[in-house]
Amino acid sequence: AAGASGLGFALPASTSAGLHPVRLGDTAAGATTPSLIPGSNTQPLVVRPVVDSASFDASGPLVSVAISPPPGSLQPVALSLVALQPVAAGAPSSVRLASPSNTRGSTITFPAPTLTPGPYLVIAEVGGVSSNPIFSGNQYDQPQVQIT
C-alpha cells in the first residue's frame, strides 16, 4: 500500500529472520500471486531477528534463546555473548557460538563454553543478520543472560 512517506507492505507470517531477495510485483484484481513489474530488480530485504528471551542452564552448560521470527530450517544461526562486567584476567570477555545444524524452531539451544559468572549481552544472528541490542543508561545491556 502506498502512503505519504513511501511504499508499505505486509510480510507473510511464515517469513523467517535473515536476508531475503525480493522484487516488486503487482496483484491484479482476483489474482492470488503478484506478477513481476517489468524492470524491477531484485533487492535485499533484511528481516532482523529479535531476542525475546535468553536463559542459562548450568547442567549443560547450555544457553537457550527464543528468537522471533523463528529461523528457517536451513538458515545458519549464531549467538554472541558479551560480558557486561569485567572478567577475570585471561578469561574471554565475549564468545560467538554456532547452533547445531539440526536444531530449529523459535528457541535455539547452544552449548556454552566456560565463562566468568555474570551478566552477558545476547546478540543473535540469523542468516547473516544480527539482532539489535538495546541501549540503556550508558551502555548496550539488553537482552541479557546471567551466566552462573
Side-chain angles (χ1 to χ4, degrees):
S5 61
L7 179 66
F9 55 92
L11 293 175
S14 61
T15 303
S16 60
L19 187 62
H20 301 274
V22 296
R23 287 185 66 186
L24 289 177
D26 186 21
T27 306
T32 57
T33 58
S35 59
L36 293 177
I37 296 175
S40 70
N41 295 323
T42 301
Q43 297 292 317
L45 173 68
V46 174
V47 179
R48 194 164 301 285
V50 173
V51 174
D52 296 317
S53 64
S55 61
F56 177 72
D57 178 357
S59 67
L62 302 169
V63 175
S64 295
V65 181
I67 301 171
S68 62
S73 62
L74 299 176
Q75 288 182 295
V77 180
L79 181 70
S80 294
L81 301 175
V82 181
L84 292 172
Q85 295 177 349
V87 297
S93 61
S94 67
V95 294
R96 187 170 192 274
L97 311 170
S99 73
S101 59
N102 60 348
T103 304
R104 291 295 171 255
S106 60
T107 300
I108 309 293
T109 300
F110 299 82
T114 301
L115 296 169
T116 301
Y120 285 77
L121 179 67
V122 176
I123 300 171
E125 182 181 299
V126 177
V129 178
S130 296
S131 61
N132 280 336
I134 298 169
F135 192 79
S136 176
N138 62 352
Q139 68 178 358
Y140 290 101
D141 66 356
Q142 293 294 327
Q144 66 176 256
V145 64
Q146 184 72 30
I147 303 294
T148 55

